Amino acid sequence: MHLAYPAVLSVLLFCVGVYGVLARRNAILVLMSVELMLNAVNLNLVAFDVWLRDTLHSGQALTLFTIAIAAAEIGIGLAIVLMVYRNRGSSDVDRLRDTAERPDGGDGGEPGGTGAAAAEPTPQTRQTQKAEATA
């Protein structure tokens, strides 16, 4: 068997995984796409191990380690996604970016503020500000 067949299949799997990571909004589908990319790498490792006729079978051994790391990654990642879904009610990746803290210490609002409350004043606060401005 030629090395080109598994290499082309691996490239196609990896490209589908990259597309899934970049285009999907659901965190579970992003994790599945990462798994697809890891499986493409595993296919390449085994194909090159067979093609080089390595006596130690280091490509296959490295593939076993990659599978173990991928299993741990998907377990921890899925636990995080489930906790975020319980707390936020959505596993949308774009909405998760709102939870990140800003480097200046704020959490998404104005610098030094407390998020949406500091960025958008309430109608009562606006009336108070107008009364202070006219006084």
Side-chain angles (χ1 to χ4, degrees):
M1 178 171 77
H2 294 288
L3 183 61
Y5 298 135
V8 168
L9 180 63
S10 177
V11 166
L12 290 175
L13 284 174
F14 194 83
C15 288
V16 169
V18 168
Y19 173 75
V21 167
L22 296 177
R24 297 294 176 186
R25 301 287 179 238
N26 190 346
I28 294 175
L29 292 177
V30 171
L31 286 174
M32 288 174 59
S33 298
V34 169
E35 289 294 320
L36 196 61
M37 292 189 312
L38 287 172
N39 285 330
V41 170
N42 288 340
L43 180 63
N44 253 344
L45 286 170
V46 171
F48 276 96
D49 183 52
V50 170
W51 185 64
L52 294 174
R53 295 189 179 120
D54 187 16
T55 56
L56 295 176
H57 299 294
S58 56
Q60 293 177 18
L62 191 57
T63 298
L64 289 176
F65 285 118
T66 307
I67 289 171
I69 295 294
E73 173 257 335
I74 200 69
I76 293 171
L78 195 57
I80 291 170
V81 168
L82 288 175
M83 288 302 296
V84 167
Y85 182 77
R86 280 187 193 165
N87 291 334
R88 306 277 291 185
S90 173
S91 62
D92 188 12
V93 176
D94 289 336
R95 292 186 66 199
L96 294 179
R97 291 184 186 143
D98 297 339
T99 61
E101 289 189 22
R102 295 178 59 139
D104 58 0
D107 63 348
E110 293 187 19
T114 58
E120 184 66 32
T122 62
Q124 294 170 347
T125 308
R126 286 186 197 141
Q127 290 175 353
T128 305
Q129 289 173 350
K130 286 180 185 177
E132 289 175 357
T134 57

